[in-house]
Amino acid sequence: MSSKELDVPASHAMRIGHHRYWVLALIFIITVINYADRATMSIAGTSVVKELGLDPLMLGMIFSAFAWAYALGQIPGGWLLDRFGARRVYGCSLLLWSIFTALQGTVGWIGLTGSLAAMTLFLMRFMLGLVESPAFPANSRIVSCWFPTRERGVASALFNSGQYMAVVVFTPIMAWLTHSLGWEHVFIWMGALGVALTFVWFAFYREPHSDPRLSAAEKALMKEGGALVDLEAERKNNAKPTTLREMKCLFNNRNLWAIYLGQYCITALTYFFITWFPIYLIQARGMTIMQAGWVAALPAICGFTGGILGGYLSDLLIRKGVHPSRARKTPFVLGMGFSTLLVFANFVDSNSAVIMLMAMAFFGKGFAAVGWAVLSDVAPKNMIGLCGGVFNGIGNIAGIITPLVIGYVVSVTGSFADALWFVAAHGVLAVIAYLVIARRFERVEASSPA
């Protein structure tokens, strides 16, 4: 992109149009619903346990069902995206996960209790995780198609920040539904909202090469800046399936393993905050449940803020002429280094200081959340979905391991001190991945194992 094109006058920008931002708004809204549907059981869980006669072990198994299926479904979900395109696969995924969300609300109505209810909910949560698995690889593929390289940082940060917005917007709504109408209505209404959004998706979304609302000028601007606007057209014209030999580059490329490891580390931090963090505040810091509830909401706000600023900094550096490799690595390294501050909670007595350190750590985690932008920049053109599936699948293994390791450490030592060291170590490991393991980020060719 030339300097002349970077400094487009405002009047000319109006003629070019901004249809790509409407596409970004749509995938942001879908991502908010995606995370809200994952959180339904955590909001309704207390009432579910009471009314269906479940015990904590049963509820724990129901919670775990989603994580296992979500991780297992990443690679198949990514393959489906590359084979059939984002429009069909993402739309079908949204419809199916909305149906499985709604079905969870029928368990109480049909009279299931005890172990039979637990098994039914486990199966539904497992299927929810499985059919949600293409969502984030689809987001990455859409950003690759619709956004120039210099805009992908903010675009990826925005759809990724849907996880924080879901907490802010839907937690109070779902709590009100549970209190006023009963826990079943949380699942029914969230499922119905997703089904309605499916119709919006299929009515609105088209690939850039065939979208009649995309102006020729905007399409040219996107393509000049590195957007893969013809990716879906090339997929249709070249229906040849990806070979195992081509897939090998996803597992023997040094840069890809660096970003896989970085995603694993950042996901480990996420799962600490959404699983053990409130318990840490109550057990280790002596807070009440109400205090912990308010404090636990702060990381979501800080993570959202950090995510937007990290993406903005990355794109700003590219517009200033910095190579995309350095522009992506800079916020990631700074943010993950910042996230290690949480370990200093072991050395302070004031709860205010603990809250400040944890908020700063989660801000750093959000600031570093440029992994999906990196993936959009480097994934092989014919395997963006599959590469995103591998990336997110390896990352979400942390969602299984981290809560288990922390639980083991706390049970053996009776303290959270070593657990905080364990979580902070992921920040150090992530920095090593991007500074030592990774080389210069460039688009990977399917035939190149470098």
Coordinates of all heavy atoms in Angstrom, one line a residue, residues 1 3 32 35-36 56 74 82 98 140 176 186 198 245 259 276 327 369 374 407 413-414 443:
M1 N 0.9 -1.2 0.0 CA 0.0 0.0 0.0 C 0.9 1.2 0.0 O 1.8 1.4 0.8 CB -0.9 0.0 1.2 CG -1.8 1.2 1.3 SD -3.0 1.3 0.0 CE -4.0 -0.1 0.3
S3 N 2.0 5.3 0.2 CA 1.7 6.4 1.2 C 0.5 7.2 0.7 O -0.2 7.7 1.5 CB 3.0 7.2 1.4 OG 3.4 7.8 0.1
V32 N -20.3 -12.3 20.8 CA -20.9 -12.0 22.1 C -21.9 -13.1 22.4 O -21.9 -13.6 23.6 CB -21.5 -10.6 22.0 CG1 -22.3 -10.4 23.3 CG2 -20.5 -9.6 21.9
Y35 N -20.2 -16.5 23.4 CA -19.7 -16.6 24.8 C -20.8 -16.6 25.8 O -20.7 -17.2 26.8 CB -18.7 -15.5 25.0 CG -17.2 -15.9 24.7 CD1 -16.7 -15.7 23.5 CD2 -16.5 -16.5 25.7 CE1 -15.4 -16.1 23.2 CE2 -15.2 -16.9 25.5 CZ -14.6 -16.7 24.2 OH -13.4 -17.1 24.0
A36 N -21.9 -15.8 25.5 CA -23.0 -15.8 26.4 C -23.6 -17.2 26.5 O -24.0 -17.6 27.6 CB -24.0 -14.8 25.9
P56 N -22.3 -31.6 43.3 CA -21.2 -30.8 42.7 C -20.4 -31.5 41.6 O -19.9 -31.0 40.7 CB -20.4 -30.3 43.9 CG -21.4 -30.3 45.0 CD -22.3 -31.5 44.7
Q74 N -11.9 -28.4 17.0 CA -11.3 -27.3 16.3 C -10.7 -27.7 14.9 O -10.9 -27.0 14.0 CB -10.1 -26.8 17.2 CG -10.6 -26.0 18.4 CD -11.4 -24.8 18.0 OE1 -11.0 -24.0 17.2 NE2 -12.5 -24.6 18.7
D82 N -12.5 -24.6 5.4 CA -11.7 -24.5 4.1 C -12.4 -25.3 3.0 O -12.2 -25.0 1.8 CB -10.3 -25.2 4.4 CG -9.4 -24.3 5.2 OD1 -9.6 -23.1 5.2 OD2 -8.6 -24.9 6.0
S98 N -27.2 -22.8 18.8 CA -28.4 -22.1 19.4 C -29.5 -23.2 19.8 O -30.1 -23.1 20.8 CB -29.0 -21.1 18.4 OG -28.1 -20.1 18.1
S140 N -11.5 -15.6 12.1 CA -10.1 -15.4 11.5 C -10.2 -15.4 10.0 O -9.5 -14.5 9.3 CB -9.2 -16.4 12.1 OG -7.9 -16.2 11.5
W176 N -31.3 -12.1 35.8 CA -32.7 -11.7 36.0 C -33.7 -12.8 35.5 O -34.7 -13.0 36.1 CB -33.0 -10.4 35.2 CG -34.4 -9.9 35.3 CD1 -35.0 -9.2 36.3 CD2 -35.4 -10.2 34.3 NE1 -36.3 -9.0 36.0 CE2 -36.6 -9.6 34.7 CE3 -35.4 -10.8 33.0 CZ2 -37.8 -9.6 34.0 CZ3 -36.6 -10.9 32.3 CH2 -37.8 -10.3 32.8
V186 N -33.4 -19.1 30.8 CA -32.1 -18.6 30.3 C -31.7 -19.3 29.0 O -31.3 -18.7 28.0 CB -31.0 -18.9 31.4 CG1 -29.6 -18.6 30.9 CG2 -31.3 -18.0 32.6
T198 N -29.3 -16.3 13.2 CA -28.9 -17.1 12.1 C -29.5 -16.6 10.8 O -28.9 -16.5 9.7 CB -29.3 -18.6 12.3 OG1 -28.7 -19.1 13.5 CG2 -28.9 -19.5 11.1
R245 N 0.1 -34.0 2.7 CA 1.5 -33.4 2.6 C 1.4 -31.9 2.8 O 2.3 -31.4 3.4 CB 2.0 -33.7 1.2 CG 3.4 -33.2 0.9 CD 3.9 -33.7 -0.4 NE 5.3 -33.2 -0.6 CZ 6.0 -33.4 -1.7 NH1 5.5 -34.2 -2.7 NH2 7.2 -33.0 -1.8
I259 N 3.3 -19.3 17.5 CA 2.0 -18.7 17.8 C 1.1 -19.7 18.4 O 0.2 -19.3 19.2 CB 1.4 -18.1 16.5 CG1 1.0 -19.1 15.4 CG2 2.3 -17.0 15.9 CD1 0.2 -18.5 14.3
W276 N -10.6 -20.2 38.7 CA -10.1 -20.1 40.1 C -10.0 -18.7 40.7 O -9.8 -18.6 41.9 CB -8.7 -20.8 40.1 CG -8.8 -22.3 40.1 CD1 -8.7 -23.1 39.1 CD2 -9.1 -23.2 41.2 NE1 -8.8 -24.5 39.4 CE2 -9.1 -24.5 40.8 CE3 -9.4 -22.9 42.6 CZ2 -9.4 -25.6 41.6 CZ3 -9.7 -24.0 43.4 CH2 -9.7 -25.3 42.9
A327 N 5.3 -5.4 14.3 CA 4.1 -4.7 14.8 C 3.2 -5.7 15.6 O 2.5 -5.2 16.5 CB 3.3 -4.1 13.6
A369 N -3.5 -9.9 23.0 CA -4.4 -10.7 22.3 C -4.4 -10.4 20.8 O -5.5 -10.0 20.2 CB -5.8 -10.7 22.9
V374 N -2.2 -12.3 14.0 CA -1.0 -13.0 13.5 C -1.4 -14.2 12.6 O -0.8 -14.4 11.5 CB -0.1 -13.5 14.6 CG1 1.1 -14.3 14.1 CG2 0.4 -12.3 15.5
G407 N -5.9 -26.7 40.8 CA -6.7 -27.5 41.8 C -5.8 -28.5 42.5 O -5.8 -28.6 43.8
T413 N -0.7 -28.2 48.5 CA 0.1 -27.2 49.3 C -0.8 -26.4 50.3 O -0.3 -25.8 51.2 CB 0.8 -26.2 48.4 OG1 -0.2 -25.4 47.7 CG2 1.7 -26.9 47.4
G414 N -2.2 -26.4 50.0 CA -3.1 -25.6 50.8 C -2.9 -24.1 50.6 O -3.4 -23.3 51.5
R443 N 3.6 -15.0 5.4 CA 2.6 -16.0 5.0 C 3.3 -17.3 4.7 O 4.3 -17.4 3.9 CB 1.9 -15.5 3.7 CG 0.9 -16.4 3.1 CD -0.4 -16.4 3.8 NE -1.0 -15.1 3.8 CZ -2.1 -14.8 4.6 NH1 -2.6 -15.7 5.4 NH2 -2.6 -13.6 4.6

